[in-house]
Amino acid sequence: MNDNQLHARIFRTADEWYADVDDELDPQPDNPLWWGSYETQPAALEAACARLAALRQAS
């Protein structure tokens, strides 16, 4: 992973919560670095934070 700024986004559509992680070079939601769908907002937030931490450790 490079030194780009990563951004987590949590949002809801219908009955699912989504989380994705993008970098500043390609912040469009059509091609995130990572994404997942969850039943609750806290689960989506926890997953996004865990993914950010994992990406940070891998750099």
Side-chain angles (χ1 to χ4, degrees):
M1 180 65 42
N2 55 30
D3 288 333
N4 288 335
Q5 297 292 317
L6 299 178
H7 305 274
R9 186 170 61 125
I10 310 297
F11 60 98
R12 185 177 183 178
T13 60
D15 60 346
E16 289 185 290
W17 286 91
Y18 289 89
D20 69 20
V21 173
D22 276 319
D23 66 19
E24 65 185 5
L25 299 178
D26 186 19
Q28 301 302 316
D30 62 342
N31 189 23
L33 295 172
W34 168 86
W35 71 274
S37 63
Y38 303 90
E39 291 184 16
T40 65
Q41 183 184 31
L45 184 57
E46 184 176 328
C49 289
R51 181 57 58 157
L52 287 171
L55 289 168
R56 178 65 181 135
Q57 288 180 352
S59 63

